[in-house]
Amino acid sequence: MPCEPFGRASVLAAISELQQGKVIVVTDDESRENEGDLIMAAEFATAETIGFIVRYSSGVICVPLPSERLEALMLPPMVVNNEDPKQTAFTVSVDFKVGTTTGISAADRAATFRALADASTKPEDFQRPGHVFPLRPRPGGVLERDGHTEATMDFCRLAGLRPAGVLCEVVNDDGSMARVPDLIPFCQKHDLVLTSIADLIAYIKEGTASK
């Protein structure tokens, strides 16, 4: 493991890992979803990294994008009335059209993630529906909503990367959701940084207070 799990040092390590195109694990509060998500910067997505995420996750891989980017790509909400208890804001799903086949392979999804992170792509470059699920984050980030959607965007921002990230929930071999006692050995085995949304919030507040 690149550093001890959780705490301020884990946030700094996570930022560094993202800048290098690596995957990190971020947990939320036990009273919320009590889950850990695999997260990386969308601009660095490869068949290898997405294949790793597919293997150890639920497989429903999402990509938070700023509201203005979603509007520019003409990606409306998936449903008019969002009944998700956590109000996760899914949009219509997409696949990148160029150089892909069915859209479901790790390579195809990686191409879609990179294309969504590329500001030059246009609505007509994507087909709908697809196998990648864009999300609309709250503009205030984790200080407004302490979810993985916002954490992904804040981490990309702090890393100085494009505002587009990849995230998916870690699952155990039996298909159950991985909790902290599962995630610590998982991150040790795969040499991943393990941090939390609470640590990220504290880090952002610390930086705001020092200004």
Side-chain angles (χ1 to χ4, degrees):
M1 192 181 292
C3 72
E4 289 297 313
F6 306 121
R8 186 180 190 277
S10 71
V11 175
L12 295 172
I15 292 169
S16 176
E17 294 287 278
L18 290 173
Q19 291 169 334
Q20 298 173 62
K22 297 181 180 180
V23 177
I24 64 172
V25 176
V26 181
T27 65
D28 64 354
D29 193 88
E30 290 184 12
S31 63
R32 195 176 179 276
E33 291 179 325
N34 190 22
E35 295 174 355
D37 278 28
L38 293 159
I39 290 175
M40 72 172 298
E43 64 191 88
F44 296 134
T46 65
E48 181 181 8
T49 53
I50 300 305
F52 175 85
I53 291 174
V54 168
R55 179 178 179 185
Y56 294 107
S57 74
S58 65
V60 181
I61 310 179
C62 300
V63 51
L65 296 166
S67 294
E68 57 270 22
R69 175 66 171 149
L70 293 171
E71 290 164 8
L73 291 175
M74 300 181 184
L75 295 177
M78 182 181 287
V79 295
V80 174
N81 181 26
N82 188 345
E83 297 180 354
D84 185 326
K86 304 300 181 186
Q87 290 296 294
T88 304
F90 284 88
T91 76
V92 171
S93 57
V94 297
D95 285 334
F96 189 46
K97 292 180 179 178
V98 182
T100 59
T101 54
T102 62
I104 189 62
S105 71
D108 283 1
R109 283 194 271 185
T112 300
F113 291 128
R114 293 195 303 272
L116 289 169
D118 182 352
S120 68
T121 53
K122 299 177 175 59
E124 56 267 28
D125 296 323
F126 300 90
Q127 62 187 18
R128 305 157 178 79
H131 300 85
V132 162
F133 300 88
L135 302 174
R136 183 185 296 268
R138 300 284 177 84
V142 292
L143 298 185
E144 181 177 348
R145 178 179 180 271
D146 58 346
H148 286 102
T149 302
E150 288 72 23
T152 302
M153 293 298 291
D154 281 344
F155 268 118
C156 287
R157 173 180 59 81
L158 290 168
L161 302 172
R162 296 174 189 170
V166 175
L167 74 156
C168 197
E169 307 90 342
V170 185
V171 298
N172 295 313
D173 290 341
D174 64 0
S176 62
M177 302 310 301
R179 312 300 183 190
V180 170
D182 308 306
L183 293 169
I184 291 175
F186 173 81
C187 290
Q188 289 173 334
K189 178 180 179 181
H190 297 287
D191 198 30
L192 303 176
V193 168
L194 176 58
T195 189
S196 71
I197 294 175
D199 292 327
L200 177 60
I201 291 172
Y203 179 81
I204 293 173
K205 286 183 175 179
E206 175 188 310
T208 303
S210 65
K211 291 182 179 179

